[in-house]
Amino acid sequence: MHEVSLDQSIQDYLTGENLEMTTYEDLRQGLARLLVEEKGYPKDNLSPRVAIQFHVDDKPFSRNVDILVRDGQGRPALALLFCSGTPETYTREAMYAARLLPDGPAPLVIVTDSKDAKLLSAASGKVLADGFVAIPSWEELQNLLAEHPAPDLDPARLAREQRVFYMYSGFLEGCCGQECPT
């Protein structure tokens, strides 16, 4: 199933702005609410819809991370991506997304379909926890960040990571009611 507009609007829990209501937006809003109200995340440390932008073969590419959690110093800490299929099938793409954030890589990433979740180390790609218990509290996140540092990406590795992320994400772009990329 692909995300489609429901011709309505919804208020963003984190920013207060009105957004287009889609088949998945209420789930994203629920995840933001869960992080703040149940897991103790400071609302100011959460950024919705953070764009990852770069070029592959001189063609611009952009894909959003649904929620980016920043640590107390404002650095990326945890990237959260909602997926339309089982989380197992999106773990590689989510790992690359966490590595390619505009302000540097996040050490951790969560991929969820709203029924299941996987917590991953962005450096190794290793699954650290499964299920909704995989979503750490703010306090637990601090311990995880100390145990799992962000990966180092030199310019050559960064270019390779962008190409692989483009390949994984390319399957989701276009070709479903849109023009297919060439």
Side-chain angles (χ1 to χ4, degrees):
M1 182 170 149
H2 296 279
E3 187 167 20
V4 296
S5 173
L6 299 176
D7 294 323
Q8 298 175 17
S9 64
I10 186 172
Q11 187 176 42
D12 186 281
Y13 176 77
L14 297 173
T15 67
E17 68 185 76
N18 284 326
L19 302 173
E20 178 182 17
M21 178 67 162
T22 66
T23 49
Y24 300 144
E25 191 58 46
D26 60 332
L27 300 172
R28 290 186 189 101
Q29 296 303 313
L31 289 169
R33 190 176 305 275
L34 170 89
L35 290 174
V36 172
E37 295 179 8
E38 294 182 32
K39 299 291 185 170
Y41 286 66
K43 202 180 219 184
D44 291 342
N45 290 60
L46 305 179
S47 301
R49 298 171 303 285
V50 173
I52 300 169
Q53 299 177 333
F54 54 88
H55 288 80
V56 173
D57 296 333
D58 296 324
K59 294 180 182 177
F61 175 77
S62 181
R63 171 95 157 79
N64 286 346
V65 167
D66 292 300
I67 299 172
L68 175 60
V69 177
R70 296 183 183 278
D71 67 14
Q73 289 73 45
R75 296 178 302 236
L78 171 70
L80 193 144
L81 286 90
F82 174 77
C83 64
S84 58
T86 60
E88 297 83 32
T89 60
Y90 287 85
T91 56
R92 302 287 297 173
E93 179 184 356
M95 180 187 62
Y96 285 107
R99 292 176 180 174
L100 298 173
L101 291 163
D103 293 331
L108 301 167
V109 61
I110 290 174
V111 61
T112 181
D113 64 354
S114 81
K115 293 184 254 179
D116 191 13
K118 303 269 184 216
L119 173 65
L120 308 162
S121 162
S124 69
K126 179 182 174 189
V127 176
L128 303 174
D130 289 300
F132 264 84
V133 296
I135 301 174
S137 69
W138 177 252
E139 185 177 306
E140 293 165 336
L141 178 65
Q142 307 317 303
N143 295 330
L144 286 166
L145 292 172
E147 296 169 16
H148 301 279
D152 290 325
L153 300 175
D154 62 55
R157 181 174 174 192
L158 181 64
R160 288 190 308 269
E161 301 267 337
Q162 290 172 342
R163 283 190 162 297
V164 175
F165 182 58
Y166 174 77
M167 187 233 14
Y168 275 107
S169 298
F171 293 115
L172 301 176
E173 300 296 323
C175 297
C176 185
Q178 301 175 20
E179 183 179 324
C180 291
T182 56

